[in-house]
Amino acid sequence: MSLTVNGLDELKKLAGSDLGTSEWIEVTQERIDTFADATGDHQWIHVDPERAKDGPFGAPIAHGYLTLSLFIPLFTELLDVQGVTTKVNYGLNKVRFPSPVKVGSRIRLTAKLAEVEEVPGGVQITVEGAIEIEGATKPAAVLQSLSRFYA
């Protein structure tokens, strides 16, 4: 369930808060194939289910950057910032992919609003997130994401 804040002042008050956990989403072969088409990355480990069965993971796996790209839809389930004119993805401080996401796996995001800093015309937030794989001991991705919100 999304936490809604109205304006930058309310957002600032959330610094240091846990934002909770998103719903699970399934990573299907269709999603992987669509990402491969969009990026031109058609490595067999992602798009050839027959060959991938005999590969190191026993099945096709999602691209790391596909997993990372799912941060945004998962994050929007957790925090909705109203009363701002612009929302901008500013970048990442760090990203790691500790565990592959096999086709058919379900993932979700657990996140914390680690920091809120003022920038000219708005604020920059640092979100610490872990994209978890259902039933796995290690997350698919851990990251620090930066976003800016302008009044």
Side-chain angles (χ1 to χ4, degrees):
M1 185 164 144
S2 180
L3 173 63
T4 300
V5 297
N6 191 11
L8 300 180
D9 289 336
E10 285 186 23
L11 184 58
K12 290 176 192 176
K13 291 177 186 175
L14 287 180
S17 298
D18 285 326
L19 298 175
T21 303
S22 72
E23 296 295 321
W24 293 105
I25 61 169
E26 183 178 358
V27 179
T28 64
Q29 187 65 54
E30 180 181 11
R31 186 185 295 263
I32 292 169
D33 292 343
T34 300
F35 187 84
D37 289 342
T39 62
D41 182 353
H42 292 95
Q43 184 185 36
W44 64 268
I45 196 78
H46 306 302
V47 299
D48 187 341
E50 285 305 311
R51 187 173 176 194
K53 277 195 275 187
D54 296 325
F57 305 108
I61 61 169
H63 305 72
Y65 287 116
L66 167 57
T67 302
L68 181 60
S69 74
L70 294 172
F71 170 81
I72 295 298
L74 294 169
F75 179 70
T76 59
E77 287 184 30
L78 302 181
L79 181 64
D80 180 22
V81 181
Q82 302 274 322
V84 295
T85 62
T86 309
K87 303 172 185 180
V88 178
N89 175 0
Y90 192 68
L92 301 160
N93 281 339
K94 63 181 176 180
V95 177
R96 297 291 183 267
F97 301 109
S99 189
V101 178
K102 292 182 184 180
V103 68
S105 296
R106 295 191 331 153
I107 62 172
R108 69 181 180 183
L109 173 67
T110 299
K112 175 182 179 179
L113 182 57
E115 190 174 1
V116 180
E117 312 172 63
E118 292 200 27
V119 296
V123 298
Q124 176 174 292
I125 66 170
T126 302
V127 175
E128 294 175 350
I131 298 177
E132 302 171 338
I133 306 167
E134 188 175 36
T137 57
K138 292 182 182 178
V142 290
L143 60 120
Q144 282 186 342
S145 173
L146 306 175
S147 298
R148 289 190 173 183
F149 297 86
Y150 295 97

